[in-house]
Amino acid sequence: MKKIFLLLASCLCLLLTNCKQTNTVEKDSTTATEHPSATEAISDLSIYNLPSTWTTQDGKNLELKDLQGQVLVMVMIYTSCKAACPRLVADMRHIEERVTAKNKDKVKYILVSIDPEVDTPERLKAFAKENKMDGNQWIFLRSTETNTREFAATLAVNYKKISPIDFSHSNIISVFNTKGELDYQQEGLGIDYAPTIKEIERQLALLH
């Protein structure tokens, strides 16, 4: 009888221990889902509402909402361009070099291809390396033609294929705040991008 009692007592202790461990795990899980960055509300104007999936120069898939919480500087280009795009790429590099705010690691510089058929992840990777834009702050994206057109409309970027290897397109650099809302745009080639840099740094100053 004594042996049976001891056995029942041991089983009860083991059961209570397991329940306690389970409760602790569930509490930690709840805490993780309440992280501010995961619950921050976005407006109807946010690009994070777009359901499109994109592929980076590293072959990784992402949705635009994966970039939430960072200031985004975007331009649309294509890698075989010999006219405007090299200037836009240089302007992006110039902007990145001149941003000196303490939170500058919270900025992502994103180049979106308007020629996804040619601009494979491998091509984008090589292009990034050729232009010394292979740091973590640089992201090159490609998607389907439909997703690309939809996103171009969001940026008010117009583009049209004028030959098998050439496009005519707008030359616009856009700044988005941490909620994915279009905050500022500047159009042109080789112009003074001081206002764009100032706006990027203003957005960074709003970060906690």
Side-chain angles (χ1 to χ4, degrees), residues 77-80 113-121 123-124 142:
I77 64 162
Y78 63 107
T79 62
S80 58
S113 173
I114 61 175
D115 189 14
E117 184 177 346
V118 171
D119 290 336
T120 62
R123 175 60 194 139
L124 293 175
R142 67 177 296 279

Side-chain angles (χ1 to χ4, degrees), residues 106-118:
K106 296 294 185 180
V107 186
K108 293 296 182 186
Y109 300 88
I110 301 175
L111 295 92
V112 181
S113 173
I114 61 175
D115 189 14
E117 184 177 346
V118 171

Side-chain angles (χ1 to χ4, degrees), residues 13 16-17 39 49 61 65 71 92 95 100-101 120-122 127 134 136 147 180-181 186 188 190 198 205:
C13 288
L16 290 173
T17 300
T39 59
N49 291 307
N61 292 334
K65 65 183 180 181
V71 177
M92 286 285 280
I95 290 169
T100 58
T120 62
E122 293 78 14
F127 185 84
D134 48 359
N136 292 333
N147 289 342
E181 299 160 344
Q186 195 165 0
K198 182 178 180 180

Side-chain angles (χ1 to χ4, degrees), residues 12-22:
L12 181 60
C13 288
L14 182 59
L15 180 62
L16 290 173
T17 300
N18 287 339
C19 289
K20 184 177 181 181
Q21 289 174 343
T22 302

Side-chain angles (χ1 to χ4, degrees), residues 31 56 86 101-103 142 167 191-192:
T31 302
T56 72
K102 66 177 182 178
N103 291 319
R142 67 177 296 279
F167 291 78
I191 62 177
D192 180 11

Side-chain angles (χ1 to χ4, degrees), residues 25-64:
V25 171
E26 289 177 352
K27 182 177 181 181
D28 290 343
S29 177
T30 302
T31 302
T33 59
E34 292 175 353
H35 193 280
S37 63
T39 59
E40 186 178 13
I42 57 176
S43 73
D44 292 340
L45 300 176
S46 174
I47 59 171
Y48 300 144
N49 291 307
L50 296 175
S52 50
T53 298
W54 300 77
T55 306
T56 72
Q57 71 269 35
D58 295 316
K60 297 179 180 178
N61 292 334
L62 63 76
E63 295 181 30
L64 294 174

